[in-house]
Amino acid sequence: MEEQNQQKKSIWGNWWEPLRKWVYPAWLMYETSIRFYHYAQGVHTYFEKHQEGLASYIGEIGTLTLDLICSVATFAGCTVFLTMPACFLLYKFFKEDNFINTRFEEKIKILF
């Protein structure tokens, strides 16, 4: 029974085990930040294409201000509500031995 409670060793070796709890969340944060940056660029592109129509309502400066606020809000909102919780869960998953206490966890941790 105690044999099943111990975490299996990674196929990458002992040197990888202390690093993986930091490498995988950092990689996830990098990848999602790049994706959310592209979302923010898409918002900016939308405002550039429709600038003439919006400028008639809120003016040139208002359109640029709205563009900046919406682009930053898109990036910040996605980062705060999606990236940071996912990175924290991934960190906790690799830090603790039995995070979800299933056999799938044992099999997946061996590969990573």
Side-chain angles (χ1 to χ4, degrees):
M1 189 73 153
E2 286 186 25
E3 294 174 4
Q4 293 180 349
N5 288 337
Q6 295 177 354
Q7 183 176 348
K8 307 270 188 191
K9 299 295 180 192
S10 174
I11 61 172
W12 301 106
N14 291 335
W15 64 272
W16 179 245
E17 290 181 24
L19 292 176
R20 70 181 177 182
K21 68 181 175 184
W22 295 104
V23 170
Y24 289 128
W27 171 78
L28 178 66
M29 183 169 280
Y30 168 75
E31 288 292 329
T32 54
S33 294
I34 296 255
R35 177 68 53 149
F36 297 147
Y37 175 73
H38 289 296
Y39 291 168
Q41 278 185 328
V43 170
H44 174 69
T45 303
Y46 175 81
F47 279 108
E48 279 185 344
K49 287 182 181 177
H50 296 89
Q51 187 172 8
E52 295 85 24
L54 291 170
S56 64
Y57 293 111
I58 57 177
E60 191 76 27
I61 299 295
T63 304
L64 294 174
T65 305
L66 185 63
D67 176 16
L68 179 67
I69 290 170
C70 290
S71 297
V72 169
T74 300
F75 180 78
C78 290
T79 300
V80 168
F81 292 112
L82 298 173
T83 303
M84 293 175 79
C87 290
F88 177 73
L89 284 174
L90 192 60
Y91 171 78
K92 291 297 266 183
F93 179 77
F94 283 110
K95 185 177 179 186
E96 295 184 17
D97 289 337
N98 287 326
F99 186 64
I100 54 177
N101 202 15
T102 62
R103 289 187 182 202
F104 175 73
E105 178 183 1
E106 294 174 8
K107 291 178 183 178
I108 199 80
K109 281 187 178 180
I110 291 173
L111 297 175
F112 294 110

